[in-house]
Amino acid sequence: MKQYILILKIVFLVICSTKSVQAQTYYKTNNSDRIFTQDNYEDYKKNIASQLKEKHGEVTINERLIDSIISHDSIIKTYKLDIRIKRNPNGSRRPEEKIYSYLNKELPNFNLQTIDGKNMSLSDLKNKPTIINFWFTRCKPCIEEIPVLNKLVKKYSDQVNFIGITPDNKETVTQFLKTHTFNYVHLVNARKYINDIGILGYPKNIFIDKLGEIKYIERGIPYFKQNGVMKLGTGDEFERLIKKLL
């Protein structure tokens, strides 16, 4: 009888251990109903920090676990995010990014590769206005504006160069494009160049004239509020800037 009870205990412990191993942990914040995987949750916090940093200055995000729910084979952890902003000493809403020092100047030349393995430099793009979109595949705001950018490509591709520059490698971008249509010419493995010219936040859209000078620097497609909800714009603002370059 004792041996039978011992066997039952062992079986029970094995079952509990198996369930523990199989349990999937998800994450959410106290002010949102969205449920994240761990990777998506980390990206979510990085995107918040990036957006606030560009508007206000130095940002730190601390988190505190306030709830944990076990449901079937899942664990949902709820965190309260404590966001603290250290404003710039000069009072600017945007930190000084080196990229803004190139306004009305030529962007430093680059020699980068497309996902097809072709070399491309900035000098290859002269004699026609160029729009450069700095982005990466795990940047949610970058992905949200792609359909609007594609509409601009469709309308102006014969008059304007549309270039995407990303720190991601060829394999990552190629895999992303299997499920997302993004009709720019993509230059990959550009992390060093991006750091050198001082891009801090994504997305960043740079408008260059026919002579190669930067005339406008914008973040992403602007949002607008409709019925109390923020919605992505139609790209009219970007189109106005394109027309000024033509």
Side-chain angles (χ1 to χ4, degrees), residues 185-196:
V185 175
H186 296 288
L187 304 179
V188 297
N189 292 318
R191 185 177 300 280
K192 183 179 185 306
Y193 179 74
I194 291 170
N195 290 340
D196 287 345

Side-chain angles (χ1 to χ4, degrees), residues 44-230:
Y44 174 72
K45 291 188 292 182
K46 288 177 182 177
N47 285 335
I48 290 176
S50 176
Q51 292 175 35
L52 291 175
K53 183 177 181 179
E54 187 155 353
K55 288 183 178 179
H56 303 294
E58 185 178 338
V59 175
T60 59
I61 298 180
N62 298 314
E63 58 185 1
R64 177 167 57 89
L65 181 64
I66 60 174
D67 195 14
S68 183
I69 299 173
I70 299 176
S71 176
H72 300 294
D73 59 348
S74 298
I75 301 172
I76 301 176
K77 294 184 177 182
T78 301
Y79 285 89
K80 178 178 175 57
L81 299 184
D82 178 20
I83 301 173
R84 299 186 179 183
I85 299 172
K86 181 179 179 181
R87 296 190 179 274
N88 300 313
N90 59 8
S92 171
R93 286 177 57 81
R94 180 173 59 205
E96 288 300 321
E97 290 185 78
K98 183 180 176 182
I99 186 62
Y100 290 94
S101 69
Y102 293 109
L103 272 171
N104 297 312
K105 300 176 184 177
E106 287 195 16
L107 193 65
N109 198 18
F110 54 73
N111 185 17
L112 300 170
Q113 281 197 340
T114 68
I115 56 176
D116 299 322
K118 298 177 182 178
N119 290 328
M120 179 177 287
S121 65
L122 191 61
S123 56
D124 295 327
L125 304 173
K126 287 188 177 181
N127 302 319
K128 199 158 72 167
T130 296
I131 313 301
I132 299 181
N133 174 259
F134 291 88
W135 72 292
F136 63 97
T137 57
R138 297 174 69 183
C139 166
K140 188 174 182 291
C142 301
I143 297 171
E144 287 178 345
E145 72 174 3
I146 288 176
V148 181
L149 297 179
N150 283 337
K151 290 179 181 179
L152 295 174
V153 175
K154 185 176 181 179
K155 190 170 183 178
Y156 294 100
S157 60
D158 59 335
Q159 300 172 275
V160 178
N161 299 308
F162 291 91
I163 306 297
I165 296 182
T166 176
D168 291 335
N169 60 35
K170 170 185 173 180
E171 292 74 18
T172 299
V173 176
T174 300
Q175 189 65 31
F176 175 86
L177 294 177
K178 289 180 180 179
T179 54
H180 299 78
T181 300
F182 192 0
N183 294 323
Y184 276 42
V185 175
H186 296 288
L187 304 179
V188 297
N189 292 318
R191 185 177 300 280
K192 183 179 185 306
Y193 179 74
I194 291 170
N195 290 340
D196 287 345
I197 64 174
I199 298 289
L200 298 180
Y202 296 85
K204 191 81 74 200
N205 291 275
I206 295 179
F207 297 73
I208 301 174
D209 68 11
K210 299 175 184 179
L211 300 177
E213 291 186 356
I214 297 177
K215 293 302 178 184
Y216 313 103
I217 300 175
E218 300 290 334
R219 288 192 61 214
I221 298 290
Y223 282 74
F224 67 97
K225 184 174 286 188
Q226 185 178 70
N227 298 326
V229 178
M230 295 301 294

Side-chain angles (χ1 to χ4, degrees), residues 207 221-222 233-242:
F207 297 73
I221 298 290
T234 60
D236 291 346
E237 296 84 354
F238 278 25
E239 187 166 8
R240 281 196 290 269
L241 298 181
I242 290 174

